[in-house]
Amino acid sequence: MKQTALETIALTKQFRDFWQRITVTAVKEVSFQVATGTVFGLLGPNGSGKTTTLRLMTGLLHPSSGCIRILGDSPTSLQTRRRIGYLPETDGFYEFLSGRDNLRFYAGLFGYSGREASRRADTLLDTVGLIRDAHRPVGEFSKGMKRRIGLAQALLNDPELLILDEPTAGLDPAGCRQVKELLRQRAQSGRTVVVSSHLLADIEDLCESVCILHQGRVVAQGRLAEMLEQREQHRFTTGVLTTAQCESLQESFLSITGSAALMDHPHRALESYFTQVVEQVGQPSS
Amino acid sequence: MLLIPIPEHGRLRDMIFLFIRLALIHARVLLRNPVCLLLSLATALLTLLLPLAFAHTFGNTAARLAQDGGLAFQFVAGIVFAAYAACAITGSARASGTEALTLAKPVSPTLLFLARYAGIAGGLALFCVTTATATLLAMRIAEAFSPATGYCIDFTTATIAVASAILACLLGALLNRFRNASFHASVFVLLPLLLIVTAGSSGFYNRLGAWQSPPAYTLDVAILTAALRIGLALLMFAALTQVLALLLKPVSVGAAGLLILALGLTLPGISPAGSSPLRWLSMAIVPDWQAFWTTSASGLVPPPMPGALWLYAFCYITAILILGVHLFNRSEHA
Ligand SMILES: Nc1ncnc2c1ncn2[C@@H]1O[C@H](COP(=O)(O)OP(=O)(O)O)[C@@H](O)[C@H]1O
Ligand SMILES: [Mg+2]
């Protein structure tokens, strides 16, 4: 049994107007657990409460009721915040500072010395592929570049728990793949990742378990593999067959099961095709 | 990857470094703001050029009018500066998301709020140095009598002072072109420096511009203590507006600030005189701005108890900041 890195119990968040009237209940009685060393996905359409849930986790919003335990502690404790990394939905950078200076500033907030902050900033700029643009003001960055530097910022303290709000929004396919690879590696090394997204393809090949939100409520949750498995069907995969072989197989299926089997060529994911084509041209997109 | 343990936190030294880091970034954001430079530059130029515009001195000396004018400009523009700075800094930190991201790091809201105030206070201090030096120079520029020169306006100092403001802009442009430094921030910092150099060099020539050595200064530095007291009042106003900016939109902050300003100016007149408890109570809620204004018909008068004034400002700012910290800790940051 894996340890729990994060747990929410009946978490509810209501937003109120000036007169303290409830305007919207963004999160309703949300309960889930995230095991240490896994990637957990928070799915849902726009306005379903993903960002609100993540902000509650980081202690930036206060729950109306219910509770959250992060790494065994409250989300507002400074000790917890030393151990988590957070990528907000909107980037929180000083636009006039360069990418490197922004990272060094935020590294400084963890108490790192100037040299250590620079070292971490440069390592991470390299990791997210921004080392060439590190000297440019963040205000000039494209959306995808901001997401990349945001991710670098979230990794500054090598956090045990990484909370990412739509990390792949605005990223090119190569960037998406790199991010997913990075997150997978972190989970393998025993760290926990929570991502929110409405891009299902991103979640599908990354998350071990997911929670689907709709209008602030949990509508489904569990291990992704179990949720997607269609137990009422079987699938065989083989190498290429001749037409004669196909026909004889179909006959066998018909005689054994009484019905014909569906036979076609599998489709590969567009992402892997795109990556292959781009790499063949020898021009990695930036 | 990055497996270096995080240094033990909570130590006082780390806290102080963190505070300085946060205060500096807020001061930088503020100094880059064009409105702050505009206020500083306009106030300095108005103060410097005021003595050239006197047509009638109403029985006062021209220097006296230049002094009152300069201090009044400092107070009024300083009020606008403080309120604008508080709204701009609070608003931009929220809108850009830097506030949320900073608080997602191990930074306590208390530290962030106080560092923000320190950043604003730093900008305000620089503004006051600019305007106070301009007032000092304006008093020298104003028409006056000296045995060597007779009655005359000191056009030499006026020219050098205005030229130093233009030079500050030129240097700012050069720093921007060759060092990528912010034009606004550079000029904001260079302006007081060059005005101080102008004041320093003013001893080397007389009112008609003739060289004199050894230098003989005719600057009335007593004015600096008056400017300092106005600066103190502005620091109180900055604390007040920074707390208001947590609760209200910028326009409302301006309106509320004006209301408190007006109340503070009128309450001492209508509340019982002397040191009755009622007077103290009203001073504890709305600042008594009059207490910081130390010029009168007889010229510059020291306040009856200078120490008490500092203590009053210190207590007021502390109390307001404690209230602000409490509000900031309770509020949400997303
Ligand atoms: N600060 C806020 N004030 C009022 N309503 C908010 C605020 N933040 C979010 N909401 C509302 O909460 C709901 C959930 O928003 P959000 O969590 O941002 O959704 P998602 O990230 O899933 O798209 C939306 O209806 C949104 O309008
Ligand atoms: Mg969202």
Side-chain angles (χ1 to χ4, degrees), chain A residues 13 55 60-62 78 81-82 86 88 91-94 96-97 105-106 108-112 116 119-120 153 155 158 191, chain B residues 2-4 6-7 9 18 21-22 25 28-29 32 96-98 100-108 330-334:
Chain A
K13 176 67 190 175
R55 284 176 178 163
L60 293 172
L61 292 179
H62 311 314
L78 292 190
R81 286 176 180 178
R82 321 209 108 246
Y86 173 51
D91 349 73
F93 288 112
Y94 291 98
F96 61 90
L97 289 182
F105 170 76
Y106 282 113
L109 300 186
F110 287 99
Y112 300 132
E116 175 61 14
R119 195 189 67 75
R120 283 179 188 247
Q153 162 280 125
L155 291 168
D158 190 20
R191 294 188 178 73
Chain B
L2 304 160
L3 284 171
I4 298 95
I6 297 170
H9 208 59
L18 194 55
R21 187 182 290 275
L22 289 167
I25 193 83
R28 272 181 87 173
V29 172
R32 297 180 67 91
S96 67
T98 50
L101 200 48
T102 302
L103 289 174
K105 309 274 179 246
V107 173
S108 84
R330 273 188 21 163
S331 57
E332 301 189 314
H333 308 279

Coordinates of all heavy atoms in Angstrom, one line a residue, chain A residues 13 55 60-62 78 81-82 86 88 91-94 96-97 105-106 108-112 116 119-120 153 155 158 191, chain B residues 2-4 6-7 9 18 21-22 25 28-29 32 96-98 100-108 330-334:
Chain A
K13 N -15.8 24.8 -1.9 CA -15.4 26.2 -2.0 C -16.5 27.0 -2.6 O -17.0 26.7 -3.7 CB -14.1 26.3 -2.8 CG -13.7 27.8 -3.0 CD -13.3 28.4 -1.7 CE -13.1 29.9 -1.9 NZ -12.8 30.6 -0.6
R55 N -5.8 25.6 -6.3 CA -5.5 26.8 -5.5 C -5.8 26.5 -4.0 O -5.1 27.0 -3.1 CB -6.3 28.0 -5.9 CG -5.8 28.6 -7.2 CD -6.7 29.7 -7.7 NE -6.1 30.3 -8.9 CZ -6.8 31.1 -9.7 NH1 -8.0 31.4 -9.5 NH2 -6.2 31.6 -10.8
L60 N -3.7 29.0 -1.3 CA -3.9 30.3 -1.8 C -5.4 30.7 -1.6 O -5.7 31.9 -1.4 CB -3.5 30.5 -3.3 CG -2.0 30.4 -3.5 CD1 -1.7 30.3 -5.0 CD2 -1.3 31.5 -2.9
L61 N -6.3 29.7 -1.7 CA -7.7 29.9 -1.4 C -8.0 29.2 -0.1 O -7.3 28.2 0.2 CB -8.6 29.4 -2.5 CG -8.6 30.1 -3.8 CD1 -9.5 29.4 -4.8 CD2 -9.0 31.6 -3.6
H62 N -8.9 29.6 0.7 CA -9.3 28.9 1.9 C -10.6 28.2 1.7 O -11.6 28.7 1.1 CB -9.5 29.9 3.1 CG -8.4 30.9 3.2 ND1 -7.1 30.5 3.1 CD2 -8.3 32.2 3.3 CE1 -6.3 31.5 3.3 NE2 -7.0 32.6 3.4
L78 N 4.3 26.9 6.1 CA 5.5 27.2 5.3 C 6.3 26.0 5.1 O 7.0 25.8 4.1 CB 6.4 28.3 6.0 CG 5.7 29.7 6.2 CD1 6.8 30.7 6.6 CD2 5.2 30.2 4.8
R81 N 5.1 24.3 2.1 CA 5.4 25.1 0.9 C 6.9 24.9 0.4 O 7.2 25.1 -0.7 CB 5.1 26.6 1.1 CG 3.6 26.7 1.0 CD 3.2 28.1 1.3 NE 1.7 28.2 1.3 CZ 1.0 29.3 1.5 NH1 1.7 30.4 1.8 NH2 -0.3 29.3 1.4
R82 N 7.7 24.5 1.4 CA 9.1 24.3 1.0 C 9.1 23.0 0.1 O 10.1 22.8 -0.6 CB 10.0 24.0 2.1 CG 9.9 24.7 3.3 CD 11.2 24.9 4.1 NE 11.5 26.2 3.9 CZ 12.6 26.7 3.2 NH1 13.4 25.8 2.7 NH2 12.8 27.9 3.0
Y86 N 4.5 24.6 -7.6 CA 3.2 24.9 -8.1 C 3.3 25.7 -9.4 O 4.0 26.7 -9.5 CB 2.4 25.8 -7.0 CG 1.1 26.4 -7.5 CD1 0.1 25.6 -8.1 CD2 0.8 27.7 -7.3 CE1 -1.1 26.1 -8.5 CE2 -0.4 28.3 -7.7 CZ -1.3 27.5 -8.3 OH -2.5 28.0 -8.7
P88 N 0.9 27.9 -11.6 CA -0.4 28.4 -11.7 C -1.0 28.4 -13.1 O -0.2 28.2 -14.0 CB -0.3 29.8 -11.1 CG 1.2 30.1 -11.0 CD 2.0 28.9 -11.4
D91 N 0.7 32.7 -15.5 CA 2.1 32.8 -15.0 C 2.3 34.0 -14.1 O 1.9 35.0 -14.3 CB 3.1 32.8 -16.1 CG 2.4 32.6 -17.4 OD1 1.6 33.5 -17.9 OD2 2.5 31.5 -18.0
G92 N 3.1 33.8 -13.0 CA 3.3 34.9 -12.1 C 4.7 35.4 -12.2 O 5.5 35.3 -11.2
F93 N 5.1 35.9 -13.3 CA 6.5 36.4 -13.5 C 6.5 37.9 -13.6 O 5.6 38.6 -14.0 CB 7.1 35.8 -14.8 CG 7.4 34.3 -14.6 CD1 6.6 33.4 -15.4 CD2 8.3 33.9 -13.7 CE1 6.9 32.0 -15.2 CE2 8.6 32.5 -13.6 CZ 7.8 31.6 -14.3
Y94 N 7.7 38.4 -13.2 CA 7.9 39.8 -13.4 C 8.4 40.0 -14.9 O 9.4 39.5 -15.3 CB 9.1 40.3 -12.5 CG 8.6 40.3 -11.0 CD1 8.9 39.3 -10.2 CD2 7.8 41.4 -10.6 CE1 8.4 39.3 -8.9 CE2 7.3 41.4 -9.3 CZ 7.6 40.3 -8.4 OH 7.2 40.3 -7.1
F96 N 9.4 42.3 -16.7 CA 10.6 43.1 -17.1 C 11.9 42.3 -16.8 O 13.0 42.7 -17.3 CB 10.6 44.5 -16.4 CG 10.7 44.5 -14.9 CD1 11.9 44.4 -14.3 CD2 9.5 44.4 -14.2 CE1 11.9 44.4 -12.9 CE2 9.6 44.4 -12.8 CZ 10.8 44.4 -12.2
L97 N 11.8 41.3 -15.9 CA 13.0 40.5 -15.6 C 13.2 39.5 -16.6 O 12.2 39.0 -17.2 CB 12.9 39.9 -14.2 CG 12.9 40.7 -13.0 CD1 12.9 39.9 -11.7 CD2 14.2 41.5 -13.0
F105 N 15.2 34.9 -8.8 CA 14.4 35.5 -7.7 C 13.6 34.5 -6.9 O 13.6 34.5 -5.7 CB 13.5 36.6 -8.4 CG 12.4 37.1 -7.4 CD1 12.8 38.1 -6.4 CD2 11.1 36.7 -7.4 CE1 11.9 38.6 -5.5 CE2 10.2 37.2 -6.5 CZ 10.6 38.2 -5.6
Y106 N 12.8 33.7 -7.7 CA 12.0 32.7 -7.0 C 12.8 31.7 -6.2 O 12.4 31.2 -5.2 CB 11.0 32.0 -8.0 CG 9.8 33.0 -8.3 CD1 9.6 33.5 -9.5 CD2 9.0 33.3 -7.3 CE1 8.6 34.4 -9.8 CE2 7.9 34.2 -7.5 CZ 7.7 34.7 -8.8 OH 6.7 35.6 -9.0
G108 N 15.5 32.3 -4.8 CA 16.0 33.1 -3.6 C 14.9 33.0 -2.5 O 15.2 33.1 -1.3
L109 N 13.6 32.9 -2.9 CA 12.6 32.8 -1.9 C 12.7 31.5 -1.0 O 12.1 31.4 0.1 CB 11.2 32.9 -2.5 CG 10.9 34.2 -3.3 CD1 9.5 34.2 -3.8 CD2 11.2 35.4 -2.5
F110 N 13.4 30.5 -1.6 CA 13.6 29.3 -0.8 C 14.8 29.4 0.1 O 15.2 28.5 0.8 CB 13.8 28.1 -1.7 CG 12.5 27.6 -2.4 CD1 12.2 28.0 -3.7 CD2 11.6 26.8 -1.7 CE1 11.1 27.6 -4.3 CE2 10.4 26.4 -2.3 CZ 10.2 26.8 -3.6
G111 N 15.5 30.5 0.0 CA 16.7 30.8 0.9 C 18.0 30.3 0.2 O 19.0 30.2 0.9
Y112 N 18.0 29.9 -1.1 CA 19.2 29.5 -1.7 C 20.1 30.7 -1.9 O 19.7 31.8 -2.1 CB 19.0 28.9 -3.1 CG 18.1 27.7 -3.1 CD1 17.0 27.6 -4.0 CD2 18.3 26.7 -2.2 CE1 16.2 26.5 -4.0 CE2 17.5 25.6 -2.2 CZ 16.4 25.5 -3.1 OH 15.6 24.4 -3.1
E116 N 23.9 29.2 -5.8 CA 23.0 28.0 -5.8 C 21.8 28.3 -6.7 O 21.3 27.5 -7.5 CB 22.6 27.6 -4.4 CG 21.7 26.4 -4.3 CD 22.2 25.1 -5.0 OE1 23.4 25.1 -5.3 OE2 21.4 24.2 -5.2
R119 N 22.7 28.3 -10.3 CA 22.9 26.9 -10.7 C 21.6 26.2 -11.0 O 21.4 25.6 -12.1 CB 23.7 26.1 -9.7 CG 24.3 24.8 -10.3 CD 24.9 24.0 -9.1 NE 23.9 23.5 -8.3 CZ 23.1 22.5 -8.6 NH1 23.2 21.9 -9.7 NH2 22.2 22.0 -7.7
R120 N 20.7 26.3 -10.1 CA 19.4 25.7 -10.3 C 18.6 26.3 -11.5 O 18.0 25.6 -12.3 CB 18.5 25.8 -9.0 CG 18.9 24.9 -8.0 CD 18.1 25.0 -6.7 NE 18.7 24.2 -5.7 CZ 18.1 23.1 -5.1 NH1 17.0 22.8 -5.5 NH2 18.8 22.4 -4.2
Q153 N 10.1 27.0 -12.9 CA 9.9 27.7 -11.7 C 9.3 26.7 -10.6 O 9.7 26.7 -9.5 CB 9.0 28.9 -11.9 CG 8.3 29.5 -10.7 CD 7.1 28.7 -10.3 OE1 6.9 28.3 -9.2 NE2 6.2 28.5 -11.3
L155 N 9.8 23.6 -10.5 CA 10.8 22.6 -10.1 C 12.0 23.1 -9.3 O 12.9 22.3 -9.0 CB 11.3 21.9 -11.4 CG 10.2 21.1 -12.2 CD1 10.8 20.7 -13.5 CD2 9.9 19.8 -11.4
D158 N 13.0 21.2 -6.3 CA 13.0 19.7 -6.5 C 11.9 19.2 -5.6 O 12.1 18.4 -4.7 CB 14.3 19.1 -6.2 CG 14.3 17.6 -6.6 OD1 13.5 17.3 -7.4 OD2 15.2 16.9 -6.0
R191 N 8.4 10.8 -6.6 CA 7.7 12.0 -6.3 C 6.3 12.0 -6.9 O 6.0 11.3 -7.8 CB 8.5 13.2 -6.9 CG 9.9 13.3 -6.2 CD 10.6 14.5 -6.6 NE 11.9 14.6 -5.9 CZ 12.9 13.8 -6.1 NH1 12.8 12.9 -7.1 NH2 14.0 13.9 -5.4
Chain B
L2 N 18.0 17.7 -9.0 CA 18.4 18.7 -7.9 C 18.1 18.0 -6.5 O 17.0 18.0 -6.1 CB 17.5 19.9 -8.0 CG 17.6 20.6 -9.4 CD1 16.4 21.5 -9.6 CD2 18.8 21.5 -9.5
L3 N 19.1 17.5 -6.0 CA 18.9 16.8 -4.7 C 19.6 17.5 -3.5 O 20.0 16.9 -2.6 CB 19.4 15.4 -4.8 CG 18.4 14.5 -5.6 CD1 19.0 13.2 -5.9 CD2 17.1 14.3 -4.9
I4 N 19.8 18.8 -3.6 CA 20.5 19.5 -2.6 C 19.5 19.9 -1.5 O 18.4 20.4 -1.8 CB 21.1 20.8 -3.1 CG1 22.1 20.5 -4.2 CG2 21.7 21.7 -2.0 CD1 21.7 20.5 -5.6
I6 N 17.3 21.7 1.3 CA 17.0 23.1 1.4 C 17.6 23.6 2.8 O 17.4 22.9 3.8 CB 15.5 23.3 1.4 CG1 15.0 22.8 0.0 CG2 15.1 24.7 1.7 CD1 13.5 22.7 -0.1
P7 N 18.3 24.8 2.8 CA 18.9 25.2 4.0 C 17.8 25.4 5.1 O 16.7 25.8 4.8 CB 19.6 26.5 3.7 CG 18.9 26.9 2.4 CD 18.5 25.7 1.7
H9 N 15.4 26.8 7.5 CA 14.8 28.2 7.4 C 14.3 28.7 8.7 O 14.5 28.0 9.7 CB 13.5 28.1 6.4 CG 13.3 29.4 5.7 ND1 14.2 30.0 4.9 CD2 12.2 30.2 5.7 CE1 13.7 31.1 4.5 NE2 12.5 31.2 4.9
L18 N 15.4 37.7 3.0 CA 14.1 37.5 2.2 C 13.4 38.8 2.1 O 12.8 39.2 1.1 CB 13.3 36.4 2.9 CG 12.1 35.8 2.1 CD1 12.6 35.2 0.8 CD2 11.5 34.7 3.0
R21 N 15.1 41.2 -0.2 CA 14.8 40.7 -1.6 C 13.4 41.1 -2.1 O 13.3 41.7 -3.2 CB 14.9 39.2 -1.6 CG 14.9 38.5 -3.0 CD 15.0 37.0 -2.8 NE 16.3 36.6 -2.4 CZ 17.3 36.4 -3.2 NH1 17.2 36.6 -4.5 NH2 18.5 36.0 -2.7
L22 N 12.4 40.9 -1.2 CA 11.1 41.3 -1.6 C 10.9 42.8 -1.7 O 10.2 43.3 -2.6 CB 10.1 40.6 -0.6 CG 9.9 39.1 -0.7 CD1 9.2 38.6 0.6 CD2 9.2 38.7 -1.9
I25 N 12.4 44.1 -4.9 CA 11.7 43.8 -6.2 C 10.5 44.8 -6.3 O 10.1 45.3 -7.3 CB 11.3 42.3 -6.3 CG1 10.8 42.0 -7.7 CG2 10.2 41.9 -5.4 CD1 11.9 41.7 -8.7
R28 N 11.6 48.1 -7.3 CA 12.0 48.1 -8.7 C 10.7 48.3 -9.5 O 10.7 49.0 -10.5 CB 12.7 46.8 -9.1 CG 14.2 46.9 -8.9 CD 14.8 45.6 -9.3 NE 15.1 45.5 -10.7 CZ 15.7 44.5 -11.3 NH1 16.2 43.5 -10.6 NH2 16.0 44.5 -12.6
V29 N 9.7 47.5 -9.2 CA 8.4 47.6 -9.9 C 7.9 49.0 -9.9 O 7.4 49.6 -10.9 CB 7.4 46.6 -9.3 CG1 6.0 46.8 -10.0 CG2 7.8 45.2 -9.6
R32 N 9.9 51.6 -11.9 CA 9.8 51.5 -13.4 C 8.5 52.1 -13.8 O 8.2 52.2 -15.1 CB 9.8 50.0 -13.8 CG 11.0 49.3 -13.5 CD 10.9 47.8 -13.9 NE 10.8 47.7 -15.3 CZ 11.9 47.6 -16.1 NH1 13.1 47.5 -15.6 NH2 11.7 47.5 -17.4
S96 N -0.7 40.2 -12.1 CA 0.4 39.5 -12.8 C 0.6 38.1 -12.2 O 1.2 37.2 -12.8 CB 1.7 40.2 -12.7 OG 2.1 40.3 -11.4
G97 N -0.1 37.9 -11.0 CA 0.1 36.6 -10.4 C 1.3 36.4 -9.6 O 1.6 35.3 -9.0
T98 N 2.2 37.5 -9.5 CA 3.4 37.3 -8.7 C 3.1 37.2 -7.3 O 3.8 36.5 -6.5 CB 4.3 38.5 -8.9 OG1 3.6 39.7 -8.7 CG2 4.9 38.6 -10.3
A100 N 0.5 35.6 -5.9 CA 0.1 34.2 -5.7 C 1.3 33.3 -5.7 O 1.5 32.4 -4.9 CB -1.0 33.7 -6.7
L101 N 2.2 33.5 -6.7 CA 3.3 32.6 -6.9 C 4.3 32.8 -5.7 O 4.9 31.8 -5.2 CB 4.0 32.9 -8.2 CG 4.9 31.8 -8.7 CD1 4.2 30.5 -8.7 CD2 5.4 32.1 -10.2
T102 N 4.5 34.0 -5.3 CA 5.4 34.3 -4.1 C 4.8 33.6 -2.9 O 5.6 33.0 -2.1 CB 5.5 35.8 -3.9 OG1 6.0 36.4 -5.1 CG2 6.4 36.1 -2.8
L103 N 3.5 33.7 -2.7 CA 2.9 33.1 -1.5 C 2.8 31.5 -1.6 O 2.6 30.9 -0.6 CB 1.6 33.7 -1.2 CG 1.6 35.1 -0.7 CD1 0.3 35.7 -0.6 CD2 2.4 35.2 0.6
A104 N 3.0 31.0 -2.8 CA 3.0 29.5 -2.9 C 4.4 29.0 -2.6 O 4.6 27.8 -2.4 CB 2.7 29.1 -4.4
K105 N 5.4 29.9 -2.4 CA 6.7 29.6 -2.0 C 6.7 29.8 -0.4 O 5.8 30.4 0.1 CB 7.8 30.5 -2.6 CG 7.6 30.6 -4.1 CD 8.4 29.5 -4.8 CE 8.3 29.6 -6.3 NZ 7.6 28.4 -6.8
P106 N 7.8 29.3 0.2 CA 7.8 29.5 1.7 C 8.0 31.0 2.1 O 9.0 31.3 2.7 CB 8.9 28.6 2.2 CG 9.7 28.4 1.0 CD 8.9 28.6 -0.2
V107 N 7.0 31.8 1.8 CA 7.1 33.2 2.2 C 5.8 33.5 3.0 O 4.7 33.2 2.5 CB 7.1 34.1 0.9 CG1 7.0 35.6 1.3 CG2 8.4 33.8 0.1
S108 N 5.9 34.0 4.2 CA 4.7 34.3 4.9 C 4.1 35.6 4.4 O 4.8 36.5 4.0 CB 5.0 34.4 6.4 OG 5.4 35.7 6.7
R330 N -5.6 37.0 6.2 CA -6.9 36.4 6.1 C -7.4 36.3 4.7 O -8.3 35.6 4.4 CB -7.9 37.2 6.9 CG -8.0 36.8 8.4 CD -9.1 37.5 9.0 NE -10.1 38.0 8.0 CZ -11.3 38.4 8.3 NH1 -11.7 38.3 9.6 NH2 -12.2 38.8 7.4
S331 N -6.9 37.2 3.8 CA -7.5 37.3 2.4 C -6.9 36.1 1.6 O -5.9 35.5 1.9 CB -7.2 38.6 1.8 OG -5.8 38.9 1.8
E332 N -7.6 35.9 0.4 CA -7.2 34.9 -0.5 C -6.4 35.5 -1.6 O -6.5 36.7 -1.9 CB -8.5 34.2 -1.1 CG -9.3 33.6 0.0 CD -10.4 32.8 -0.5 OE1 -11.1 33.2 -1.4 OE2 -10.6 31.7 0.0
H333 N -5.5 34.7 -2.2 CA -4.5 35.3 -3.1 C -4.5 34.6 -4.5 O -3.5 34.1 -4.9 CB -3.1 35.2 -2.5 CG -3.0 35.7 -1.1 ND1 -2.9 37.1 -0.9 CD2 -3.1 35.2 0.1 CE1 -2.9 37.3 0.4 NE2 -3.0 36.1 1.0
A334 N -5.7 34.6 -5.1 CA -5.7 34.0 -6.4 C -6.6 34.8 -7.3 O -7.4 35.6 -6.9 CB -6.2 32.5 -6.3

